[in-house]
Amino acid sequence: GAGVSQTPSNKVTEKGKYVELRCDPISGHTALYWYRQSLGQGPEFLIYFQGTGAADDSGLPNDRFFAVRPEGSVSTLKIQRTERGDSAVYLCASSLEGRDRVHFGPGTRLTVL
Amino acid sequence: KNEVEQSPQNLTAQEGEFITINCSYSVGISALHWLQQHPGGGIVSLFMLSSGKKKHGRLIATINIQEKHSSLHITASHPRDSAVYICAVPNYGGSQGNLIFGKGTKLSVKP
């Protein structure tokens, strides 16, 4: 079946702009995760959704970052007033109920100029 | 916060060799993940294990909960196994999805 998909695959923006990154999880997966991976580093946790609610948003670095999952499927990660330090690959993942293997999407490479 | 250490950082092997990658963590966990990331590629989950041993093809993962240690073994390694292997554990006090990732082991298998 279809895996986790993310759009866009690449996003180039200017400092100060607003961006939205989209994640389509595997159908039926109730748990959804956002991570980001800077060049040469391992991924770092941002936020975890169980259904529509954010069960754990302790990884969001500051209030410029926000994520939603209004219907319990697709999720959008929103970044306001982007900074050059936000440049990274943003990874989305999903799992059946949060206690199963995690399936990762291909990522969105964000470049802030 | 859970601390995750992987070794070695880099590993070069000849095709056919038996490979072992190690992962240690500092705080007790319910499950540990082994992930594979190819250059420029996405991340694939290889194993999620909470005790004992799991096997999938040429890959074997073991975990010792008491010693807070896990190993990933690759038998009869092949150049297509070349990738970065990452272990990840839940952050202490966080949710199951709040994973702390190791820095990864970069494996290169030469033909």
Side-chain angles (χ1 to χ4, degrees):
Chain A
V4 178
S5 63
Q6 292 186 245
T7 54
S9 54
N10 279 284
K11 175 72 178 177
V12 180
T13 191
E14 292 179 344
K15 181 174 177 299
K17 299 288 189 185
Y18 168 82
V19 296
E20 289 189 352
L21 311 178
R22 177 187 167 110
C23 172
D24 281 82
I26 292 173
S27 178
H29 280 195
T30 58
L32 184 145
Y33 320 86
W34 283 99
Y35 304 94
R36 72 175 175 183
Q37 186 173 25
S38 300
L39 194 61
Q41 305 293 317
E44 58 175 345
F45 170 76
L46 295 177
I47 186 169
Y48 157 51
F49 286 91
Q50 184 59 254
T52 59
D56 184 348
D57 65 358
S58 61
L60 294 177
N62 51 60
D63 61 7
R64 295 187 299 105
F65 288 75
F66 189 71
V68 295
R69 195 185 184 200
E71 296 177 2
S73 55
V74 171
S75 176
T76 305
L77 178 66
K78 308 179 182 198
I79 311 174
Q80 298 178 319
R81 304 183 304 280
T82 51
E83 299 178 358
R84 292 196 180 88
D86 299 334
S87 296
V89 176
Y90 287 80
L91 297 163
C92 177
S94 69
S95 68
L96 196 52
E97 286 185 355
R99 292 186 180 276
D100 305 288
R101 279 177 59 187
V102 180
H103 300 260
F104 285 81
T108 293
R109 182 176 298 278
L110 175 66
T111 304
V112 182
L113 301 177
Chain B
K1 181 177 172 177
N2 214 337
E3 303 286 339
V4 181
E5 296 283 339
Q6 278 187 244
S7 63
Q9 260 189 307
N10 290 282
L11 182 54
T12 300
Q14 286 299 126
E15 183 172 356
E17 285 185 2
F18 181 81
I19 304 289
T20 295
I21 299 170
N22 296 299
C23 176
S24 297
Y25 51 93
S26 57
V27 180
I29 57 169
S30 54
L32 178 144
H33 301 256
W34 278 105
L35 310 166
Q36 179 194 58
Q37 186 169 33
H38 282 282
I43 294 176
V44 174
S45 174
L46 299 175
F47 296 102
M48 177 180 170
L49 68 166
S50 53
S51 65
K53 175 174 154 178
K54 284 190 175 181
K55 184 175 190 289
H56 185 255
R58 294 180 295 105
L59 301 177
I60 303 167
T62 63
I63 188 167
N64 185 318
I65 295 293
Q66 286 73 31
E67 294 187 4
K68 299 187 180 64
H69 180 269
S70 176
S71 293
L72 176 69
H73 306 284
I74 305 175
T75 61
S77 58
H78 190 276
R80 65 174 173 266
D81 296 327
S82 298
V84 176
Y85 292 84
I86 304 169
C87 75
V89 301
N91 195 8
Y92 179 71
S95 62
Q96 285 293 319
N98 187 339
L99 297 176
I100 298 291
F101 295 79
K103 288 183 170 24
T105 294
K106 186 174 181 181
L107 172 65
S108 178
V109 182
K110 306 293 185 189

